[in-house]
Amino acid sequence: MGIYEELQQRGLIAQVTNEEEIREMVNAGKAKFYIGFDCTADSLTAGHFMALTLMKRLQQAGNQPIALIGGGTTMIGDPSGRTDMRKMLTREDIDHNAECFRKQMEKFIEFGEGKAIMVNNADWLLDLNYVEVLREVGTCFSVNNMLRAECYKQRMEKGLSFFEFNYMIMQSYDFYYLFKNYGCNMQFGGDDQWSNMLGGTELIRKKLGKDAHAMTITLLTDSNGKKMGKTAGNAVWLDPNKTSPFEFYQYWRNVDDADVLKCIRMLTFLPLEEINKMDSWQGSELNKAKEILAFELTKLVHGEDEALKAQEGAKALFSGAGNTDNMPTFALSADDFTDGKIQINEIMLKAGMIASKGEGRRLIEQGGVSVDDVKVATPFDTASLSDFDKGYIIIKKGKKVFYKITL
């Protein structure tokens, strides 16, 4: 089985142009492909997982990845999947975010001569002359077709700025530039990017002729991975300073039952034969599958040592065994107590588990907070010094956030 067939069996491919040619090139290791990453934050998220693992899979099969950092396109912001305009970032912010992205990508793909390369579209987009761009590529785009694109439809009611309307042209120009200057013959992206990506394919054909073999593949997800259910949201970061390895592990350990095998198939590097045997798993076996998923993905991002620590911390929570040293920890001081007591809501605020006491009050009233597996009944419930006889208490917020509180 070739890598293209494996991608299909893992449920990754949504739409393609000229499939037979793509299949042949990818399986032969002759694809030089790019995936774009706009630098809207200083860390990649769990939503980028599919793109990162795809690049790794294809590189292992002999294909060459181009990681395109969107230093230029980030200055406009992609309207796809949004109901409002993105926050505008400074050039300094974008450059900083791009450097953070590279460090995280190096855990997945190998950069170097003859290997993966990283480019930044700020290097060509920001120096373009507006009138020259209009003359060179503007005539290749139909406004009528652009307005029919799915990425713009959802914005039409609330209003689509002319500023954002240019995003498709800029993204299309990226593929055109990479095709001419880097020999890039293929682009991958989320299924929500189909219209934008087709724009690049058509631009190359119109400018360079029908014999220009530019191909497009979209993945069975949107650009943030949200079609995997509640799984790959933007709040879970790959940076351990923003989401600790334990919290990262817990996030994947708590995926919905309906999503766990899909995530294992799409995101891990376990053999398909092994994954297919899990298809009949039910009940407690699905919990085992979640542990496998959480361990494999934590290992990919944070290394095996951190994955083992996170796994040990999870055992301490769910089975009463294991080492609690690897849980996120916050230490209270004697000054935090009044007459030997402190409200649970106050502890969560001090530990950074909530943004405000109002948030904590709502969570408690909804039954979403517990201390040592006992639900907190009211926002005024307290912990006393005597509750710390074993040296700590464990506060659980919702299903995924755990903190060990020490003195």
Side-chain angles (χ1 to χ4, degrees):
M1 179 172 60
I3 183 62
Y4 186 84
E5 288 76 21
E6 180 179 343
L7 297 181
Q8 287 181 313
Q9 290 196 23
R10 288 184 180 272
L12 289 169
I13 296 176
Q15 302 183 77
V16 300
T17 61
N18 37 330
E19 183 174 32
E20 288 308 313
E21 191 171 2
I22 289 173
R23 182 193 307 272
E24 183 178 337
M25 289 186 68
V26 166
N27 284 343
K30 295 181 179 179
K32 192 171 186 179
F33 67 96
Y34 95 89
I35 298 179
F37 300 82
D38 276 353
C39 319
T40 52
D42 59 359
S43 172
L44 295 165
T45 71
H48 292 107
F49 240 129
M50 192 173 290
L52 294 171
T53 56
L54 176 78
M55 295 173 87
K56 183 179 178 74
R57 293 183 208 281
L58 290 171
Q59 186 177 46
Q60 289 176 339
N63 299 286
Q64 186 177 12
I66 299 176
L68 174 64
I69 297 298
T73 42
T74 303
M75 298 193 78
I76 287 184
D78 183 5
S80 301
R82 294 187 64 88
T83 58
D84 57 357
M85 192 165 154
R86 294 181 187 272
K87 176 185 175 183
M88 291 191 192
L89 302 177
T90 66
R91 180 69 187 270
E92 291 74 22
D93 288 337
I94 293 170
D95 288 345
H96 170 71
N97 294 347
E99 183 58 30
C100 294
F101 277 23
R102 182 185 179 98
K103 291 177 181 177
Q104 292 173 355
M105 287 179 183
E106 287 174 342
K107 296 180 179 180
F108 290 83
I109 55 178
E110 190 175 357
F111 292 95
E113 187 174 352
K115 299 174 183 176
I117 60 174
M118 177 174 283
V119 295
N120 190 327
N121 63 17
D123 293 340
W124 58 84
L125 291 179
L126 298 188
D127 292 332
L128 291 174
N129 177 284
Y130 183 63
V131 173
E132 289 177 358
V133 171
L134 291 180
R135 287 176 62 87
E136 183 179 8
V137 303
T139 56
C140 298
F141 290 86
S142 161
V143 171
N144 290 347
N145 289 339
M146 291 173 73
L147 289 174
R148 284 194 290 268
E150 194 63 36
C151 59
Y152 292 140
K153 277 183 182 178
Q154 57 194 320
R155 291 295 305 280
M156 294 302 289
E157 289 186 9
K158 291 194 67 173
L160 175 71
S161 70
F162 180 73
F163 184 61
E164 296 171 283
F165 188 62
N166 284 272
Y167 191 91
M168 181 186 291
I169 296 176
M170 293 181 73
Q171 182 173 334
S172 299
Y173 190 89
D174 281 342
F175 194 18
Y176 173 58
Y177 185 91
L178 292 172
F179 186 92
K180 287 199 308 178
N181 294 278
Y182 288 88
C184 177
N185 51 33
M186 202 173 295
Q187 58 178 337
F188 283 79
D191 199 28
D192 61 325
Q193 293 287 309
W194 180 247
S195 299
N196 287 350
M197 294 168 70
L198 280 183
T201 304
E202 290 303 310
L203 175 61
I204 290 170
R205 289 173 179 165
K206 288 177 180 178
K207 294 294 295 182
L208 303 177
K210 293 181 179 180
D211 293 332
H213 294 276
M215 287 153 279
T216 297
I217 301 180
T218 62
L219 306 176
L220 195 60
T221 177
D222 62 21
S223 298
N224 291 319
K226 291 177 183 174
K227 283 188 181 177
M228 286 187 290
K230 300 176 182 177
T231 304
N234 287 334
V236 180
W237 306 94
L238 305 194
D239 183 344
N241 295 314
K242 296 169 80 73
T243 298
S244 72
F246 178 82
E247 291 168 317
F248 188 85
Y249 180 96
Q250 284 299 106
Y251 177 77
W252 295 104
R253 172 62 181 77
N254 287 290
V255 300
D256 291 342
D257 288 356
D259 289 333
V260 59
L261 291 179
K262 180 165 55 175
C263 289
I264 289 176
R265 190 168 274 110
M266 287 180 166
L267 303 178
T268 76
F269 286 80
L270 295 175
L272 280 169
E273 296 81 4
E274 182 178 338
I275 298 171
N276 291 337
K277 293 177 183 177
M278 302 179 191
D279 284 338
S280 60
W281 286 11
Q282 296 179 356
S284 62
E285 290 178 315
L286 286 179
N287 287 329
K288 181 181 178 182
K290 292 177 185 182
E291 291 172 359
I292 292 170
L293 172 68
F295 181 82
E296 290 296 323
L297 297 190
T298 306
K299 182 172 69 172
L300 268 175
V301 176
H302 299 296
E304 188 166 5
D305 287 347
E306 291 297 331
L308 288 169
K309 290 178 183 178
Q311 187 179 62
E312 187 72 11
K315 287 179 181 178
L317 286 172
F318 291 105
S319 64
N323 188 346
T324 63
D325 292 345
N326 300 308
M327 291 185 199
T329 302
F330 180 79
L332 295 171
S333 70
D335 294 339
D336 293 319
F337 290 77
T338 302
D339 297 328
K341 295 181 178 181
I342 180 174
Q343 287 186 0
I344 303 301
N345 204 11
E346 180 73 19
I347 298 175
M348 291 197 297
L349 184 64
K350 288 179 178 293
M353 298 176 70
I354 52 175
S356 67
K357 284 190 174 180
E359 179 191 350
R361 183 175 64 252
R362 288 189 296 274
L363 284 166
I364 292 170
E365 289 172 347
Q366 293 165 3
V369 178
S370 64
V371 176
D372 291 339
D373 289 329
V374 178
K375 279 195 177 181
V376 178
T378 77
F380 306 104
D381 282 12
T382 61
S384 62
L385 287 168
S386 62
D387 293 326
F388 290 83
D389 287 345
K390 65 178 180 291
Y392 62 87
I393 61 174
I394 294 176
I395 298 181
K396 178 181 177 183
K397 185 184 84 169
K399 293 182 178 181
K400 302 175 183 176
V401 179
F402 298 83
Y403 263 75
K404 183 172 71 170
I405 309 298
T406 64
L407 292 178

